Coordinates of all heavy atoms in Angstrom, one line a residue:
M1 N 10.6 60.2 -13.8 CA 11.5 59.2 -14.1 C 10.7 57.9 -14.6 O 11.1 57.3 -15.5 CB 12.4 58.8 -13.1 CG 13.3 59.9 -12.6 SD 14.8 59.9 -13.6 CE 15.8 58.6 -13.0
T2 N 9.5 57.7 -14.1 CA 8.7 56.5 -14.5 C 8.4 56.7 -16.0 O 8.4 55.8 -16.8 CB 7.4 56.5 -13.7 OG1 7.7 56.3 -12.4 CG2 6.5 55.4 -14.2
Q3 N 8.0 57.9 -16.4 CA 7.6 58.1 -17.8 C 8.9 57.9 -18.7 O 8.8 57.2 -19.8 CB 7.1 59.6 -18.1 CG 6.4 59.8 -19.4 CD 5.8 61.2 -19.4 OE1 6.2 62.1 -18.7 NE2 4.8 61.3 -20.2
L4 N 10.0 58.3 -18.3 CA 11.2 58.0 -19.0 C 11.6 56.6 -19.1 O 12.0 56.1 -20.1 CB 12.4 58.7 -18.5 CG 12.7 60.3 -18.7 CD1 13.9 60.8 -17.9 CD2 12.9 60.4 -20.2
R5 N 11.3 55.8 -18.1 CA 11.6 54.4 -18.0 C 10.7 53.7 -19.0 O 11.1 52.8 -19.7 CB 11.3 53.8 -16.7 CG 12.5 53.4 -15.9 CD 12.3 52.6 -14.8 NE 11.0 52.6 -14.1 CZ 10.6 53.2 -13.0 NH1 11.4 54.0 -12.4 NH2 9.4 53.1 -12.6
E6 N 9.4 54.2 -19.2 CA 8.5 53.5 -20.1 C 8.9 53.9 -21.5 O 8.7 53.0 -22.3 CB 7.0 54.0 -19.8 CG 6.5 53.5 -18.5 CD 5.2 54.2 -18.0 OE1 4.7 55.1 -18.7 OE2 4.6 53.8 -17.0
L7 N 9.2 55.1 -21.7 CA 9.7 55.6 -23.1 C 11.0 55.0 -23.6 O 11.0 54.6 -24.7 CB 9.8 57.1 -23.2 CG 8.6 57.9 -23.1 CD1 8.9 59.4 -22.9 CD2 7.7 57.7 -24.4
T8 N 11.9 54.7 -22.7 CA 13.1 54.2 -23.1 C 13.3 52.6 -22.9 O 14.1 52.1 -23.7 CB 14.4 54.8 -22.3 OG1 14.1 54.5 -20.9 CG2 14.4 56.3 -22.5
G9 N 12.4 52.1 -22.1 CA 12.6 50.6 -21.8 C 13.8 50.4 -20.9 O 14.1 49.2 -20.7
L10 N 14.4 51.3 -20.3 CA 15.6 51.0 -19.4 C 15.0 50.7 -18.1 O 14.0 51.1 -17.6 CB 16.4 52.3 -19.3 CG 17.1 52.8 -20.6 CD1 17.8 54.1 -20.5 CD2 18.1 51.7 -21.1
T11 N 15.8 49.9 -17.3 CA 15.5 49.7 -15.9 C 15.8 50.9 -15.1 O 16.6 51.8 -15.5 CB 16.4 48.4 -15.4 OG1 17.7 49.0 -15.4 CG2 16.2 47.2 -16.2
G12 N 15.2 50.9 -13.9 CA 15.3 52.1 -13.0 C 16.9 52.3 -12.7 O 17.2 53.5 -12.9
P13 N 17.6 51.4 -12.4 CA 19.1 51.7 -12.0 C 19.8 52.2 -13.2 O 20.6 53.1 -13.1 CB 19.6 50.4 -11.6 CG 18.3 49.6 -10.9 CD 17.3 50.0 -11.9
T14 N 19.5 51.6 -14.5 CA 20.3 52.1 -15.7 C 19.8 53.4 -16.0 O 20.6 54.3 -16.3 CB 19.9 51.1 -16.9 OG1 20.4 49.7 -16.4 CG2 20.6 51.6 -18.0
L15 N 18.6 53.8 -15.9 CA 18.1 55.1 -16.2 C 18.6 56.1 -15.3 O 19.1 57.2 -15.6 CB 16.5 55.1 -16.2 CG 16.0 56.5 -16.6 CD1 16.3 56.9 -17.9 CD2 14.5 56.4 -16.5
T16 N 18.7 55.8 -14.0 CA 19.4 56.7 -13.0 C 20.7 57.0 -13.4 O 21.3 58.1 -13.3 CB 19.3 56.1 -11.6 OG1 17.8 55.8 -11.3 CG2 20.0 56.9 -10.5
R17 N 21.5 55.9 -13.8 CA 23.0 56.2 -14.2 C 23.1 57.0 -15.4 O 23.9 57.9 -15.5 CB 23.6 54.9 -14.5 CG 24.0 54.1 -13.1 CD 25.1 53.0 -13.5 NE 24.5 51.9 -14.4 CZ 23.7 51.0 -14.0 NH1 23.4 50.8 -12.7 NH2 23.3 50.1 -14.8
V18 N 22.3 56.8 -16.3 CA 22.1 57.6 -17.6 C 21.8 59.1 -17.2 O 22.5 60.0 -17.7 CB 21.2 57.1 -18.6 CG1 21.0 58.2 -19.7 CG2 21.6 55.8 -19.2
V19 N 20.9 59.3 -16.5 CA 20.5 60.7 -16.0 C 21.6 61.3 -15.2 O 21.9 62.5 -15.3 CB 19.1 60.7 -15.3 CG1 18.8 62.0 -14.6 CG2 18.0 60.3 -16.3
D20 N 22.1 60.6 -14.3 CA 23.3 61.1 -13.5 C 24.4 61.6 -14.5 O 24.9 62.6 -14.2 CB 23.8 60.0 -12.6 CG 23.0 59.8 -11.3 OD1 22.0 60.6 -11.1 OD2 23.2 58.8 -10.6
H21 N 24.7 60.8 -15.5 CA 25.7 61.1 -16.5 C 25.4 62.5 -17.2 O 26.2 63.3 -17.3 CB 25.9 60.0 -17.4 CG 26.9 60.3 -18.5 ND1 28.3 60.2 -18.3 CD2 26.8 60.6 -19.8 CE1 29.0 60.5 -19.3 NE2 28.2 60.8 -20.2
L22 N 24.0 62.5 -17.6 CA 23.6 63.8 -18.4 C 23.7 65.0 -17.4 O 24.2 66.0 -17.9 CB 22.1 63.6 -18.7 CG 21.8 62.6 -19.9 CD1 20.4 62.4 -20.1 CD2 22.6 63.0 -21.2
I23 N 23.4 64.8 -16.1 CA 23.4 66.0 -15.1 C 24.9 66.3 -14.9 O 25.2 67.5 -14.8 CB 22.8 65.5 -13.9 CG1 21.2 65.6 -14.1 CG2 23.0 66.5 -12.8 CD1 20.5 65.0 -13.1
A24 N 25.8 65.3 -14.8 CA 27.2 65.5 -14.6 C 27.8 66.4 -15.7 O 28.8 67.1 -15.6 CB 28.0 64.2 -14.3
N25 N 27.3 66.1 -16.9 CA 27.8 66.8 -18.0 C 27.0 68.1 -18.4 O 27.1 68.6 -19.6 CB 27.9 65.8 -19.3 CG 28.9 64.8 -19.0 OD1 30.1 65.1 -19.1 ND2 28.6 63.6 -18.7
A26 N 26.2 68.5 -17.5 CA 25.4 69.8 -17.7 C 24.4 69.7 -18.9 O 24.0 70.6 -19.5 CB 26.2 71.0 -17.8
L27 N 24.0 68.4 -19.2 CA 23.1 68.2 -20.3 C 21.7 68.2 -19.9 O 20.7 68.3 -20.7 CB 23.4 67.0 -21.2 CG 24.9 67.0 -21.7 CD1 25.1 65.8 -22.4 CD2 25.0 68.2 -22.7
A28 N 21.4 68.0 -18.6 CA 20.0 68.0 -18.1 C 20.1 68.4 -16.6 O 21.1 68.5 -16.0 CB 19.4 66.5 -18.2
H29 N 18.9 68.5 -16.0 CA 18.9 68.8 -14.5 C 17.6 68.2 -14.0 O 16.6 68.0 -14.7 CB 18.9 70.3 -14.2 CG 17.9 71.2 -14.7 ND1 17.7 71.6 -16.0 CD2 16.7 71.6 -14.1 CE1 16.6 72.3 -16.2 NE2 16.0 72.3 -15.0
R30 N 17.6 67.8 -12.7 CA 16.5 67.3 -12.0 C 15.8 68.3 -11.2 O 16.5 69.2 -10.7 CB 17.0 66.2 -11.0 CG 17.2 64.8 -11.5 CD 17.5 63.9 -10.4 NE 18.0 62.6 -10.9 CZ 19.2 62.2 -11.0 NH1 20.2 63.1 -10.6 NH2 19.6 61.1 -11.5
E31 N 14.4 68.0 -10.9 CA 13.7 69.0 -10.1 C 12.5 68.1 -9.5 O 12.0 67.2 -10.1 CB 13.1 70.0 -11.1 CG 12.0 70.9 -10.4 CD 11.3 71.8 -11.2 OE1 11.3 71.5 -12.5 OE2 10.6 72.7 -10.8
V32 N 12.4 68.3 -8.2 CA 11.2 67.6 -7.5 C 10.0 68.3 -8.0 O 9.8 69.5 -8.1 CB 11.3 67.7 -6.0 CG1 10.1 67.1 -5.4 CG2 12.5 67.1 -5.5
D33 N 9.0 67.5 -8.4 CA 7.7 67.9 -8.9 C 7.1 68.8 -7.8 O 6.7 68.2 -6.8 CB 6.8 66.7 -9.4 CG 5.6 67.2 -10.0 OD1 5.1 68.3 -9.9 OD2 4.9 66.4 -10.8
P34 N 6.8 70.0 -8.1 CA 6.1 70.8 -7.0 C 4.7 70.3 -6.7 O 4.2 70.6 -5.5 CB 6.2 72.3 -7.6 CG 6.3 72.1 -9.1 CD 7.0 70.7 -9.3
L35 N 4.0 69.7 -7.6 CA 2.7 69.2 -7.4 C 2.6 67.8 -6.8 O 1.6 67.4 -6.1 CB 1.8 69.2 -8.6 CG 1.8 70.5 -9.4 CD1 1.0 70.4 -10.8 CD2 1.1 71.5 -8.6
D36 N 3.6 67.2 -6.9 CA 3.8 65.8 -6.3 C 5.2 65.5 -5.9 O 6.1 65.0 -6.7 CB 3.2 64.7 -7.3 CG 3.2 63.2 -6.7 OD1 3.8 63.1 -5.6 OD2 2.7 62.4 -7.4
R37 N 5.6 65.7 -4.6 CA 7.0 65.6 -4.3 C 7.5 64.2 -4.3 O 8.7 64.1 -4.1 CB 7.1 66.1 -2.8 CG 6.6 67.6 -2.7 CD 7.1 68.4 -1.6 NE 8.7 68.4 -1.3 CZ 9.5 69.1 -2.0 NH1 9.2 69.9 -3.0 NH2 10.7 69.0 -1.6
R38 N 6.8 63.2 -4.7 CA 7.3 61.8 -4.8 C 7.9 61.7 -6.2 O 8.6 60.8 -6.5 CB 6.2 60.8 -4.8 CG 5.6 60.8 -3.3 CD 4.3 59.9 -3.2 NE 3.3 60.6 -4.2 CZ 2.2 60.0 -4.3 NH1 1.7 58.9 -3.9 NH2 1.2 60.7 -5.1
R39 N 7.5 62.6 -7.1 CA 7.9 62.5 -8.5 C 9.1 63.4 -8.7 O 9.4 64.5 -8.0 CB 6.9 63.1 -9.5 CG 5.7 62.1 -9.5 CD 4.7 62.6 -10.6 NE 5.3 62.7 -11.8 CZ 4.8 63.4 -12.9 NH1 3.5 64.0 -12.6 NH2 5.4 63.6 -14.0
V40 N 10.0 63.0 -9.6 CA 11.2 63.7 -10.0 C 11.2 64.1 -11.5 O 10.8 63.1 -12.4 CB 12.6 63.0 -9.8 CG1 13.7 63.6 -10.3 CG2 12.7 62.7 -8.4
L41 N 11.3 65.3 -11.8 CA 11.3 65.7 -13.2 C 12.7 65.9 -13.7 O 13.5 66.4 -13.0 CB 10.4 67.1 -13.3 CG 9.1 67.1 -12.7 CD1 8.4 68.6 -12.7 CD2 8.2 66.1 -13.4
V42 N 12.8 65.5 -14.9 CA 14.1 65.7 -15.6 C 14.0 66.7 -16.7 O 13.1 66.5 -17.6 CB 14.7 64.3 -16.1 CG1 16.1 64.5 -16.7 CG2 14.9 63.4 -14.9
H43 N 14.8 67.7 -16.8 CA 14.7 68.7 -17.9 C 15.9 68.7 -18.7 O 17.1 68.6 -18.1 CB 14.4 70.1 -17.2 CG 13.2 70.2 -16.5 ND1 12.0 70.3 -17.0 CD2 13.0 70.1 -15.1 CE1 11.1 70.4 -16.0 NE2 11.6 70.3 -14.9
V44 N 15.8 69.0 -20.0 CA 17.0 69.1 -20.8 C 17.5 70.5 -20.7 O 16.8 71.4 -20.6 CB 16.7 68.8 -22.2 CG1 17.9 69.0 -23.2 CG2 16.2 67.4 -22.5
S45 N 18.8 70.6 -20.5 CA 19.5 72.0 -20.4 C 19.6 72.6 -21.8 O 19.4 71.9 -22.7 CB 20.8 71.9 -19.7 OG 21.7 71.2 -20.5
V46 N 20.0 73.8 -21.9 CA 20.3 74.5 -23.1 C 21.4 73.8 -23.8 O 21.3 73.5 -25.0 CB 20.7 76.0 -23.0 CG1 21.1 76.6 -24.2 CG2 19.4 76.7 -22.3
D47 N 22.5 73.4 -23.1 CA 23.6 72.6 -23.6 C 23.1 71.2 -24.2 O 23.5 70.8 -25.2 CB 24.7 72.5 -22.7 CG 25.5 73.7 -22.5 OD1 25.3 74.6 -23.3 OD2 26.3 73.8 -21.5
G48 N 22.3 70.6 -23.3 CA 21.7 69.3 -23.8 C 20.8 69.3 -25.0 O 21.0 68.5 -25.9
A49 N 20.0 70.4 -25.2 CA 19.2 70.6 -26.4 C 20.2 70.8 -27.6 O 19.9 70.3 -28.7 CB 18.3 71.8 -26.2
H50 N 21.2 71.6 -27.4 CA 22.2 71.9 -28.5 C 22.9 70.5 -28.9 O 23.1 70.4 -30.1 CB 23.2 73.0 -28.0 CG 24.2 73.1 -29.1 ND1 24.1 73.8 -30.3 CD2 25.5 72.8 -29.1 CE1 25.2 73.9 -30.9 NE2 26.1 73.3 -30.3
T51 N 23.4 69.9 -28.0 CA 23.9 68.5 -28.2 C 23.0 67.6 -28.9 O 23.5 67.0 -29.9 CB 24.4 67.9 -26.9 OG1 25.4 68.8 -26.2 CG2 25.1 66.6 -27.2
Y52 N 21.7 67.6 -28.5 CA 20.7 66.7 -29.2 C 20.6 67.2 -30.6 O 20.6 66.3 -31.5 CB 19.4 66.8 -28.4 CG 18.4 66.2 -29.3 CD1 18.2 64.8 -29.2 CD2 17.5 66.9 -30.0 CE1 17.1 64.2 -30.0 CE2 16.4 66.2 -30.7 CZ 16.3 64.9 -30.6 OH 15.3 64.3 -31.4
R53 N 20.5 68.4 -30.8 CA 20.3 68.9 -32.3 C 21.4 68.5 -33.2 O 21.3 68.1 -34.3 CB 20.0 70.4 -32.3 CG 18.6 70.9 -31.9 CD 18.2 72.3 -32.3 NE 19.1 73.2 -31.6 CZ 18.8 73.6 -30.3 NH1 17.8 73.1 -29.6 NH2 19.7 74.4 -29.7
S54 N 22.7 68.8 -32.6 CA 23.9 68.4 -33.3 C 23.9 67.0 -33.6 O 24.3 66.5 -34.6 CB 25.1 68.8 -32.4 OG 25.2 70.2 -32.3
S55 N 23.6 66.2 -32.7 CA 23.6 64.6 -32.8 C 22.6 64.2 -33.9 O 22.9 63.5 -34.8 CB 23.2 64.0 -31.5 OG 24.3 64.3 -30.5
V56 N 21.4 64.8 -33.8 CA 20.4 64.4 -34.8 C 20.9 64.9 -36.2 O 20.8 64.1 -37.2 CB 19.1 65.2 -34.5 CG1 18.1 65.1 -35.7 CG2 18.4 64.6 -33.3
D57 N 21.5 66.0 -36.4 CA 22.0 66.4 -37.7 C 23.1 65.4 -38.2 O 23.1 65.0 -39.4 CB 22.6 67.8 -37.7 CG 21.5 68.9 -37.3 OD1 20.3 68.5 -37.7 OD2 21.8 70.1 -37.1
S58 N 24.0 65.0 -37.2 CA 25.1 64.2 -37.6 C 24.4 62.8 -38.0 O 24.9 62.2 -39.0 CB 26.0 63.9 -36.5 OG 26.7 65.1 -36.1
V59 N 23.5 62.3 -37.2 CA 22.9 61.0 -37.5 C 22.2 61.0 -38.9 O 22.2 60.0 -39.7 CB 21.9 60.5 -36.4 CG1 21.2 59.4 -36.8 CG2 22.9 60.2 -35.2
D60 N 21.4 62.1 -39.2 CA 20.8 62.2 -40.4 C 21.7 62.2 -41.5 O 21.5 61.6 -42.6 CB 20.0 63.5 -40.5 CG 18.6 63.5 -39.6 OD1 18.4 62.5 -39.1 OD2 18.1 64.5 -39.3
Y61 N 22.9 62.9 -41.4 CA 23.8 62.9 -42.4 C 24.4 61.6 -42.6 O 24.5 61.1 -43.9 CB 25.1 64.0 -42.0 CG 26.1 63.9 -43.1 CD1 26.0 64.6 -44.2 CD2 27.3 63.1 -42.7 CE1 27.1 64.5 -45.3 CE2 28.3 63.1 -43.7 CZ 28.2 63.7 -44.8 OH 29.2 63.7 -45.8
E62 N 24.8 60.9 -41.6 CA 25.4 59.6 -41.8 C 24.4 58.6 -42.4 O 24.8 57.7 -43.2 CB 25.9 59.0 -40.5 CG 27.0 59.7 -39.8 CD 28.3 59.7 -40.7 OE1 28.5 58.8 -41.5 OE2 29.0 60.7 -40.8
E63 N 23.1 58.6 -42.0 CA 22.0 57.8 -42.6 C 21.9 58.1 -44.1 O 21.7 57.2 -44.9 CB 20.7 57.9 -41.8 CG 20.7 57.2 -40.5 CD 19.4 57.6 -39.8 OE1 18.6 58.4 -40.1 OE2 19.2 56.7 -38.8
A64 N 22.0 59.4 -44.4 CA 21.9 59.8 -45.9 C 23.0 59.1 -46.6 O 22.9 58.5 -47.7 CB 21.7 61.1 -46.0
Q65 N 24.3 59.2 -46.0 CA 25.5 58.6 -46.8 C 25.3 57.2 -46.8 O 25.7 56.6 -47.9 CB 26.7 59.0 -45.8 CG 27.1 60.4 -45.8 CD 27.2 60.9 -47.4 OE1 26.5 61.7 -47.7 NE2 28.4 60.5 -48.0
L66 N 24.8 56.4 -45.9 CA 24.6 55.0 -46.0 C 23.6 54.7 -47.0 O 23.8 53.7 -47.8 CB 24.1 54.4 -44.6 CG 25.1 54.3 -43.5 CD1 24.4 54.0 -42.2 CD2 26.2 53.4 -43.9
A67 N 22.6 55.5 -47.2 CA 21.5 55.2 -48.2 C 22.2 55.4 -49.6 O 22.0 54.6 -50.5 CB 20.4 56.2 -48.1
V68 N 23.0 56.4 -49.8 CA 23.7 56.6 -51.1 C 24.6 55.5 -51.3 O 24.7 55.0 -52.5 CB 24.5 58.0 -51.1 CG1 25.3 58.1 -52.2 CG2 23.5 59.2 -51.0
D69 N 25.4 55.2 -50.3 CA 26.4 54.1 -50.5 C 25.6 52.8 -50.9 O 26.2 51.9 -51.8 CB 27.3 53.8 -49.2 CG 28.2 55.0 -49.0 OD1 28.4 55.8 -50.0 OD2 28.8 55.1 -48.0
S70 N 24.5 52.5 -50.2 CA 23.9 51.2 -50.5 C 23.2 51.2 -52.0 O 23.1 50.1 -52.6 CB 22.8 50.9 -49.4 OG 21.7 51.9 -49.5
N71 N 22.9 52.4 -52.5 CA 22.4 52.4 -53.8 C 23.4 52.2 -54.9 O 23.1 51.8 -56.0 CB 21.6 53.8 -54.0 CG 20.3 54.0 -53.3 OD1 19.8 53.1 -53.0 ND2 20.0 55.2 -53.0
H72 N 24.6 52.3 -54.5 CA 25.7 52.2 -55.5 C 26.5 50.9 -55.2 O 27.4 50.6 -55.9 CB 26.8 53.4 -55.4 CG 26.1 54.7 -55.8 ND1 24.8 55.1 -55.6 CD2 26.8 55.7 -56.7 CE1 24.7 56.2 -56.2 NE2 25.8 56.6 -56.7
A73 N 26.1 50.1 -54.2 CA 26.8 48.9 -53.9 C 26.4 47.8 -54.9 O 25.3 47.8 -55.4 CB 26.4 48.5 -52.4
P74 N 27.4 47.0 -55.3 CA 27.0 45.8 -56.1 C 26.1 44.9 -55.4 O 26.2 44.7 -54.2 CB 28.4 45.3 -56.4 CG 29.2 45.7 -55.3 CD 28.8 47.0 -54.8
T75 N 25.3 44.3 -56.2 CA 24.3 43.3 -55.6 C 24.9 42.0 -55.9 O 25.5 41.7 -57.0 CB 22.9 43.5 -56.1 OG1 22.9 43.3 -57.6 CG2 22.3 44.8 -55.8
L76 N 24.6 40.9 -55.1 CA 25.0 39.6 -55.3 C 23.8 38.8 -55.9 O 22.7 39.0 -55.6 CB 25.5 38.9 -53.9 CG 26.5 39.6 -53.2 CD1 26.7 38.9 -51.9 CD2 27.8 39.5 -54.1
D77 N 24.2 38.0 -56.9 CA 23.2 37.2 -57.5 C 23.0 35.9 -56.7 O 24.0 35.0 -56.8 CB 23.6 36.9 -59.0 CG 22.5 36.0 -59.7 OD1 21.5 35.7 -59.1 OD2 22.7 35.8 -60.9
H78 N 22.0 35.7 -56.0 CA 21.8 34.6 -55.1 C 21.1 33.4 -55.8 O 20.7 32.4 -55.3 CB 21.0 34.9 -53.7 CG 21.8 35.9 -53.0 ND1 23.0 35.4 -52.2 CD2 21.5 37.1 -52.7 CE1 23.4 36.5 -51.7 NE2 22.6 37.6 -51.8
T79 N 20.7 33.6 -57.1 CA 20.0 32.5 -57.9 C 20.8 31.5 -58.4 O 20.4 30.5 -58.9 CB 19.3 33.3 -59.0 OG1 20.0 33.8 -59.9 CG2 18.3 34.2 -58.5
R80 N 22.2 31.7 -58.5 CA 23.1 30.7 -59.0 C 23.3 29.5 -58.0 O 23.2 29.7 -56.7 CB 24.5 31.2 -59.2 CG 24.5 32.2 -60.4 CD 25.9 32.5 -60.7 NE 26.0 33.7 -61.5 CZ 27.1 34.3 -61.7 NH1 28.2 33.8 -61.3 NH2 27.2 35.3 -62.5
S81 N 23.5 28.3 -58.5 CA 23.8 27.2 -57.7 C 25.2 27.2 -57.4 O 26.1 27.3 -58.0 CB 23.3 25.9 -58.4 OG 22.0 26.1 -58.8

C-alpha cells in the first residue's frame, strides 16, 4: 500500500477506501506479503484488468474526439481592442 500511496499521492485512509471499494466490486484483492507480513499486496483481478482496458479505450476515444472537435472549433481574435 505504501507504493500505491506514493504513486497515487492519496492519503492512507483515502487509499484504503479506494482499495476497499475495488475489492467490494471484485476488481482487486489483497494479500499479506509472504516475505514481509507487515506489508499488504494489492492485486488487480481479471475483472479489474478488463474494466481498466475498457476504461482506457473509452478515455482514448473521448480524448481523440476532443482533439478533433478542438481542431474544428472557431478561434477568437484577441488582438482587437
Side-chain angles (χ1 to χ4, degrees):
M1 294 281 282
T2 301
Q3 194 174 22
L4 277 176
R5 255 194 341 259
E6 291 169 358
L7 289 170
T8 62
L10 297 174
T11 64
T14 300
L15 181 60
T16 297
R17 281 192 302 275
V18 169
V19 170
D20 287 347
H21 180 76
L22 293 171
I23 290 168
N25 288 288
L27 301 174
H29 64 277
R30 280 190 186 96
E31 171 189 16
V32 174
D33 186 338
L35 302 177
D36 183 352
R37 298 200 53 80
R38 296 170 293 176
R39 291 182 55 195
V40 174
L41 306 174
V42 178
H43 302 279
V44 176
S45 68
V46 172
D47 286 345
H50 175 73
T51 300
Y52 171 77
R53 280 192 302 276
S54 297
S55 298
V56 168
D57 291 344
S58 295
V59 168
D60 288 346
Y61 173 79
E62 293 300 328
E63 285 179 342
Q65 290 303 110
L66 287 171
V68 167
D69 291 346
S70 68
N71 288 335
H72 291 41
T75 57
L76 298 175
D77 183 0
H78 296 290
T79 59
R80 291 191 200 169
S81 305

